[in-house]
Amino acid sequence: MSTYLNTTTFNFYCSGIYTGKIHFTEQQIMLAKVDPRRRTQMQDNVLDSQFKTVLPLQKILEHIDAYATAEWVNDEVVLSNSDLYQKHIQYQAVIDGRELTSQVWALRKETALDIVTLDGEIVAFLTPNRYGIELIVKEGYEKLTPLVVYDDPLLSKPEYGVNDLGTYLIPMSDDVKLATDVFLPEGIKPGTKLPTILVRTCYDRNGKKEIFMRWANKGYAVVSQDVRGRADSEGELIPFYNERDDGYDTIDWIITQEWSDGNVGMWGASYLGFVVVSAATSGHPNLKAVVDEVNVGSPFIDTARKGGTLCSWPLLSWTLAQSVGTRTDFDIFSGITVNPEAAVDARPIKEIPQQLIGKASGPWDLWSQHPEYDDFWRNCTFTERGDQVQVPMYVISGWYDGDSPGVSETWRMLTEHDVPNRKIRLGAWEHGPNRARDYEGLSFGNDAVVYDYDVSVLRWFDRFLKGIPNGIDQEPRASYYVVGENQWRTSEEWTPAEAVTSPFYLSSGGRANSGQGDGKLLTAPEERSPEDTYVYNPNDPMNDSGEREPENLRKYELRNDILVYTSEVLTEELTIAGELSAVIYAASTGKDTDWVVTLSDVNEQGDSIRLSNYIVRAKYRHGFDAPELLTPGQVEKYDIFMPNIAHRFAVGHRIRFSITSSSKFVAFPNTNTGGNPYEDAEAITVLQTVYHNSEYPSHVKLPVIPNATR
């Protein structure tokens, strides 16, 4: 049936930029676009299926009756299509001489599609995301919506169209040419020199073209480039290896262009985030600002050889997706056309690509030729050149980002070298941040999704590329969301300056095996506490997801090959925030082995929800560049990094720390032989022993926030 929403014309905005007019017939979505170059209004047409939006316009059309007939009252509204909305924030504005107050409603359980109402009727739909708010609003009511975040007088305004200069083939220092697109603001005065934002991608520069062009609307030159060996660029993709030098060469090219003012910034996320961090370590003097989101880390920290192990599914899915051709096969990457279980169980390891995609993988073959940390890997490790980083860097990630080890590696590097103007924002977010308010059974506050995400990124570039004194460099260095408390906090440092590193010691009666054992987590070490043992069989590995998601580990903790240490029931809330670590004293009857450590929150029902985990290979206990096999039975000390977290343990909950030796969806099981991980040596079952007494005080270090009560 027809509703008032079918007779409403909406203005469409993307990242604060007017993009056209939308209205919904009973069967179709109509769009009158704005010409991207001249900014002139075009005629009304049926929405082209190729027109990409994050805002789910089709869903709005399909459920328009549910939205229109809902009674937007009380604190929660359940629509006829079962969508659950909660009352969120309000906006006030004077419109046509009247002072009006709108109400924003936050969608729960799904990707955010928020709604703004006025006097019980919908005036706007919006979807926040990392690239900016996409919003449709009834004309004239913009000031009653989150669009006002773009009204900051010190924020670059969308005053320009976009002039697409086309594609250049830019030669690198070795003459390999990289496909590079350039977008300039249309309407700038002739001879105007511009700051530049550079994006270098392995996923085809055309994929997010419209999104990255938006910076040109706001007065920046935008340069988008395929890294070598991908899409239209020449050369061969050697993941991680060339990004520092190619970034340097590309900046060199930019600053010679007639439109360049010599100031270059970079943005990147995931592998693109590794690209920008690597470029920062080149020390290029014209790189003046970096925004780094959810970046993958160096290969031995986060990707190919996490903790020295040989990564399985996360590495396989990405590598195979890059190896079928010069453009990424996202169906492989998403585990649609390649079964993750079959992939991690396939053997021989060196020939897995041939089995799964029918051809060899260049990166996979190359990595197998470097089984130890050598000059090849050293060139791929950005921390090897951390002393070269001077550029202001804004780091963004979240607690459920699978690449948070890389983010932690980056932040440790910036802190170690005291890089000026470093900043970090950490939310209750996944690898695709700022998406939803509920995740894998956890519910956060409505403010876990923020409306100023892309505004903060633009403010960073405005401050350090345009010199606008907007104050972002004067704000607290760290902003983080505390899960459980469900609110944002700030600090002058990350780990928070106010955090107190508090050790929690392992103890047991010698039977800490499984969640049913007698393992305890104490605030002080016990002088005498018998060691715990378990049998690790590489042919029967742990099969948890291994991801940074809040998985319930309860069923895995029934196994006998996991040691579980649990605190007493908490009588007071306990808040932790920052980087974690563990010190483990252990022995193995093998020549090599792996250790997997996990921190979790145990509720009153006994569910054990993962908070942080990491895996390390024993032979690298003295450093990746100093491999040393184990002496069977000899006690060794392991200092183990664990990714960051901000979490409040509730009264009645317990803190849990566990140790095992495998997680097959993270790494191929260690055969315990000490041999080449790419070779399929016959696996050896070993006896693992973990010590915890006054001589060997195994413990986990938690950054406790004192007096962090509600």
Side-chain angles (χ1 to χ4, degrees), residues 47-189:
L47 182 70
D48 187 339
S49 61
Q50 300 302 309
F51 187 75
K52 301 175 184 176
T53 66
V54 177
L55 186 69
L57 295 171
Q58 191 63 40
K59 176 182 177 179
I60 296 173
L61 175 65
E62 291 173 1
H63 298 282
I64 203 163
D65 291 348
Y67 298 122
T69 58
E71 295 186 14
W72 298 97
V73 295
N74 302 321
D75 292 331
E76 287 193 349
V77 178
V78 179
L79 275 57
S80 59
N81 66 351
S82 299
D83 281 354
L84 170 62
Y85 279 88
Q86 290 182 346
K87 187 176 286 186
H88 190 17
I89 58 178
Q90 295 181 328
Y91 291 95
Q92 292 182 328
V94 176
I95 297 175
D96 294 333
R98 295 187 302 153
E99 186 171 325
L100 303 176
T101 300
S102 67
Q103 179 63 57
V104 180
W105 299 84
L107 179 61
R108 305 300 312 217
K109 309 297 183 184
E110 299 181 32
T111 297
L113 170 58
D114 294 353
I115 284 173
V116 183
T117 61
L118 177 65
D119 298 330
E121 289 196 352
I122 295 173
V123 294
F125 295 87
L126 65 135
T127 293
N129 64 90
R130 66 150 47 116
Y131 303 112
I133 300 171
E134 290 195 4
L135 176 147
I136 55 173
V137 56
K138 185 177 179 180
E139 187 169 8
Y141 292 88
E142 283 84 350
K143 299 296 184 184
L144 292 172
T145 76
L147 268 180
V148 297
V149 298
Y150 297 98
D151 290 344
D152 181 348
L154 295 178
L155 194 69
S156 288
K157 295 296 183 285
E159 300 173 330
Y160 307 96
V162 179
N163 182 8
D164 183 349
L165 299 189
T167 302
Y168 298 78
L169 290 176
I170 299 176
M172 299 293 100
S173 56
D174 60 356
D175 291 329
V176 170
K177 297 179 177 62
L178 304 188
T180 307
D181 291 345
V182 178
F183 309 98
L184 298 183
E186 175 69 16
I188 59 172
K189 295 179 181 179

Side-chain angles (χ1 to χ4, degrees), residues 400 428 430 435-444 548-550:
Y400 312 112
E430 310 156 62
R435 187 190 65 82
R437 302 172 172 99
D438 301 87
Y439 184 57
E440 298 289 335
L442 295 184
S443 294
F444 317 119
R548 188 77 201 275
E549 59 193 24

Side-chain angles (χ1 to χ4, degrees), residues 555-629:
K555 65 180 181 180
Y556 305 108
E557 291 170 352
L558 295 174
R559 294 174 58 124
N560 207 47
D561 57 355
I562 182 171
L563 303 179
V564 178
Y565 303 90
T566 310
S567 74
E568 295 292 331
V569 173
L570 296 175
T571 57
E572 296 181 350
E573 293 175 330
L574 179 72
T575 299
I576 62 173
E579 304 288 345
L580 320 179
S581 63
V583 176
I584 303 301
Y585 295 89
S588 174
T589 57
K591 293 181 179 180
D592 191 18
T593 198
D594 291 344
W595 303 106
V596 181
V597 293
T598 302
L599 180 76
S600 59
D601 181 347
V602 182
N603 63 20
E604 295 91 340
Q605 292 74 40
D607 298 319
S608 180
I609 307 303
R610 180 198 291 122
L611 302 178
S612 179
N613 63 314
Y614 199 59
I615 186 170
V616 295
R617 184 141 293 186
K619 69 185 293 186
Y620 300 113
R621 61 196 178 279
H622 303 308
F624 296 129
D625 56 354
E628 181 182 340
L629 294 180

Side-chain angles (χ1 to χ4, degrees), residues 505-527:
Y505 294 89
L506 281 54
S507 179
S508 77
R511 297 181 301 278
N513 308 76
S514 86
Q516 309 301 314
D518 62 5
K520 296 180 291 183
L521 204 57
L522 308 174
T523 55
E526 288 195 326
E527 183 175 352

